[in-house]
Amino acid sequence: MKNQRVLVLDFGGQYNQLIARRVRECSVYCEVKPHGMSLEAIRAYDPIGIIFTGGPQSVYAAGSPQVDAGIFELGVPILGICYGCQLMAHYLGGEVTAAQEDTAREYGKTKTWFETDCRLFDGIPEESITWMSHGDYMAKVPESFRLVAHSAACPNVGICDEARGFYGVQFHPEVNHTEFGLAMLRNFLYKVCGAVGDWTMGDFMRSSVEAIRAKVGSGKALLALSGGVDSSVAAALLAEAIGDQLTCIFVDHGQLRKNEGDEVEAAFSEWDLNFVRVNAEERFLVKLAGVAEPERKRKIIGEEFIRVFEEESKKIGAVDYLVQGTIYPDVIESGSDVAAVIKSHHNVGGLPDYVDFKEIIEPLRLLFKDEVRALGRELGLPEQLVNRQPFPGPGLAIRVIGDVTKEKLDILRDADFIFREEIALAGLDKCYNQYFAVLTNVRSVGVMGDGRTYDYTLALRSVTTSDFMTADWARIPYDVLDRISVRIVNEVRGINRIVYDITSKPPATIEWE
Ligand code: XMP
């Protein structure tokens, strides 16, 4: 059964992903596509509605992103947001100009009045706050449209042509600051586009299981399991679909946190699948011995990981399918492919071409991270796996500063465990997006009992962030920090000093290496 679909056409605005997520939160499937998508492709996609996103340009500027005018003849409802609203007005006979200073140009939270007999604003109050960010405005509204929202500075905040199902808003309904934004999107989907709400994780799971079975038949599939959320959920889904035709190779590189390898193994013992855990700590430690430079550590681990995986897959023999846990944000077209490499991220995603397989299966490629977690829960994966914080592929090797030894890793594992345990005990585990300990390469003098110590300094790191591209250091209460500090120095041999990292990203990064 095919889901109803909404198409989000991307004009380069910063909230485009958010629009897609909000639509899916309303149980309607949608995808973000480039604004240049051809009319034939749009027809073939067969959307129940189209959303034009915001964008940084002016619709009248040379070279600004446009659409094929035929899109307005498809008989499909359209919601234009910000630039998308202006674009619609521009095409349909309205007029868009630069706003004069202090008149119709608006940024931030803005009191807005609505005509609630318009279907888009059905059921919301006549006055509420919206989030604006526009320097242009519609000087003339297209003929068939009526004005349905205004602010103090701008008469044309919302327009509609209800007969054709065309709606435009200058503000951003997808942003939380717009008080009834989600209700407006819901109205567009359900009251205008005729959505039935057929996008649920239970349905997705069942249809994916069927599709995977149909594709794989009696063939064999192989999956590299890192213990991270994405590969774990992909493994659980495949296990549900094809059971012991699936082999999961879990390379335990010895750089995992305390008990982590066992937890991953235990979670997968529920399924009738072939689970291979390769305890490769020793060979990773040999390769890492004496290496202090962070990028070298990452390269070594990435390469060794592939070697181990390759050796194990050879033992299994010819496999038909390789499964990867790629998710939607990994595949979506992104505007910036010129960003500088700050750190080379190692993921098990980019696995080999040289394993003998016919095809790649990426069962999560349509999902956002929160949807992947919801699917994991639906499949019955334990909460500690589903809600796992991001954990770098090279693991603790990049949280032991300087050269990596088994002794240092064990010290770090114990300290990190206490840190995480105390954060959870304080009820703060949902408040911070990532928190972990780092074993610095610094030793300092301390005193314990009557004796002098000369031990390692441990750094604690905790951040709040929405996208991990920027982050703020978390304001952990002093009494919690104190408990953590007392416990670690008392319980973990080898640490006599604890510091808390109070730098944001930028200028620092989240990890230390
Ligand atoms: P940074 O340190 O660059 O980290 O601010 C941003 C986020 O990415 C995670 N991270 C990695 N994830 N492989 C990964 O899969 C890696 O090599 C890697 N390095 C950093 C980091 O934990 C944070 O969440």
Side-chain angles (χ1 to χ4, degrees):
M1 188 202 69
K2 202 178 100 184
N3 287 97
Q4 290 184 323
R5 308 197 261 193
V6 164
L7 185 60
V8 176
L9 285 186
D10 182 356
F11 291 93
Q14 53 178 324
Y15 305 124
N16 299 351
Q17 289 301 314
L18 198 54
I19 298 174
R21 291 181 52 163
R22 292 281 181 258
V23 171
R24 293 200 194 177
E25 273 169 45
C26 295
S27 306
V28 178
Y29 181 69
C30 84
E31 284 181 65
V32 182
K33 300 278 189 189
H35 66 87
M37 189 176 184
S38 73
L39 210 52
E40 297 84 83
I42 295 175
R43 258 198 217 101
Y45 191 82
D46 191 22
I48 60 164
I50 298 173
I51 299 179
F52 293 170
T53 75
Q57 306 217 37
S58 293
V59 291
Y60 48 80
S64 61
Q66 303 290 322
V67 280
D68 185 322
I71 200 165
F72 299 104
E73 308 300 328
L74 291 175
V76 178
I78 300 177
L79 170 64
I81 296 174
C82 200
Y83 180 90
C85 171
Q86 293 156 10
L87 190 79
M88 185 150 62
H90 180 65
Y91 271 86
L92 298 177
E95 209 175 288
V96 179
T97 59
Q100 301 303 311
E101 277 305 324
D102 299 329
T103 56
R105 162 192 199 149
E106 296 168 298
Y107 295 96
K109 291 184 180 176
T110 310
K111 192 182 277 187
T112 308
W113 289 269
F114 299 94
E115 306 290 330
T116 54
D117 61 345
C118 163
R119 276 185 287 175
L120 194 64
F121 305 130
D122 191 26
I124 68 160
E126 285 177 357
E127 180 190 316
S128 65
I129 298 296
T130 65
W131 180 258
M132 301 274 190
S133 176
H134 64 102
D136 285 347
Y137 104 117
M138 284 172 288
K140 184 173 154 245
V141 172
E143 291 264 292
S144 59
F145 282 71
R146 78 180 163 112
L147 285 173
V148 281
H150 70 275
S151 64
C154 179
N156 309 338
V157 166
I159 55 170
C160 73
D161 174 344
E162 299 225 72
R164 288 196 279 179
F166 293 161
Y167 297 81
V169 288
Q170 286 289 358
F171 56 87
H172 289 271
E174 70 279 17
V175 173
N176 273 334
H177 302 305
T178 298
E179 285 177 334
F180 295 90
L182 192 62
M184 296 171 200
L185 288 174
R186 193 177 285 280
N187 282 344
F188 177 67
L189 298 168
Y190 285 84
K191 296 190 171 150
V192 178
C193 303
V196 294
D198 58 4
W199 175 250
T200 68
M201 275 307 129
D203 288 344
F204 177 79
M205 182 186 83
R206 284 182 285 280
S207 59
S208 299
V209 163
E210 272 169 38
I212 293 165
R213 282 189 188 140
K215 174 174 237 177
V216 176
S218 57
K220 285 199 266 177
L222 187 68
L223 181 145
L225 188 64
S226 67
V229 180
D230 303 342
S231 68
S232 296
V233 174
L237 184 64
L238 263 287
E240 193 66 29
I242 59 167
D244 70 357
Q245 290 160 256
L246 171 72
T247 300
C248 291
I249 298 178
F250 171 45
V251 179
D252 183 344
H253 52 19
Q255 312 298 317
L256 296 174
R257 289 167 294 186
K258 192 164 173 169
N259 303 334
E260 203 163 19
D262 295 343
E263 282 168 9
V264 171
E265 192 170 349
F268 286 94
S269 64
E270 303 283 312
W271 277 276
D272 176 27
L273 78 167
N274 300 306
F275 183 92
V276 180
R277 174 172 175 177
V278 191
N279 290 318
E281 179 186 43
E282 190 53 42
R283 66 187 274 184
F284 279 88
L285 284 177
V286 168
K287 290 275 174 182
L288 286 168
V291 178
E293 209 276 306
E295 280 300 290
R296 282 263 300 136
K297 289 191 205 172
R298 284 171 186 275
K299 292 257 151 54
I300 288 171
I301 292 175
E303 275 170 31
E304 200 59 12
F305 195 96
I306 291 175
R307 292 291 90 76
V308 177
F309 182 78
E310 189 179 29
E311 286 168 24
E312 292 302 316
S313 48
K314 279 204 182 109
K315 289 185 199 160
I316 294 164
V319 230
D320 307 288
Y321 300 94
L322 183 73
V323 186
Q324 298 200 335
T326 321
I327 70 172
Y328 194 52
D330 303 335
V331 292
I332 203 160
E333 282 95 335
S334 107
S336 64
D337 45 10
V338 288
V341 175
I342 309 288
K343 296 175 186 180
S344 57
H345 279 202
H346 153 65
N347 250 323
V348 287
L351 274 174
D353 311 326
Y354 40 76
V355 188
D356 187 15
F357 63 88
K358 274 202 317 224
E359 216 179 307
I360 294 178
I361 299 183
E362 294 177 313
L364 312 179
R365 61 180 291 115
L366 299 179
L367 305 184
F368 285 107
K369 194 80 173 187
D370 45 347
E371 294 174 314
V372 173
R373 294 190 209 277
L375 177 61
R377 286 192 194 96
E378 194 77 35
L379 285 157
L381 280 176
E383 203 57 26
Q384 88 260 14
L385 256 186
V386 167
N387 247 330
R388 197 175 185 264
Q389 302 179 34
F391 185 63
L396 299 185
I398 56 160
R399 292 182 182 170
V400 167
I401 309 306
D403 67 319
V404 181
T405 64
K406 168 100 171 102
E407 185 207 3
K408 289 182 185 171
L409 285 167
D410 285 338
I411 293 175
L412 177 59
R413 261 190 279 267
D414 286 340
D416 180 72
F417 184 80
I418 294 172
F419 179 30
R420 289 185 292 125
E421 188 172 63
E422 285 297 330
I423 291 288
L425 284 172
L428 295 170
D429 47 337
K430 301 263 182 325
C431 301
Y432 313 136
N433 302 96
Q434 202 171 1
Y435 48 97
F436 53 87
V438 175
L439 191 68
T440 74
N441 215 7
V442 173
R443 291 174 128 194
S444 70
V445 175
V447 54
M448 261 193 191
D450 293 326
R452 173 188 188 275
T453 56
Y454 186 58
D455 284 332
Y456 286 113
T457 300
L458 184 87
L460 303 175
R461 179 74 162 144
S462 176
V463 294
T464 53
T465 171
S466 55
D467 55 9
F468 297 90
M469 305 293 288
T470 61
D472 195 11
W473 60 276
R475 276 34 173 195
I476 300 179
Y478 282 172
D479 57 329
V480 179
L481 282 173
D482 184 50
R483 274 201 298 282
I484 295 163
S485 163
V486 170
R487 267 196 71 191
I488 292 176
V489 287
N490 278 320
E491 295 175 36
V492 184
R493 281 179 77 97
I495 294 174
N496 67 354
R497 192 178 295 270
I498 300 199
V499 296
Y500 186 47
D501 182 345
I502 52 165
T503 33
S504 293
K505 173 185 181 178
T509 51
I510 296 175
E511 303 285 348
W512 276 37
E513 286 197 336

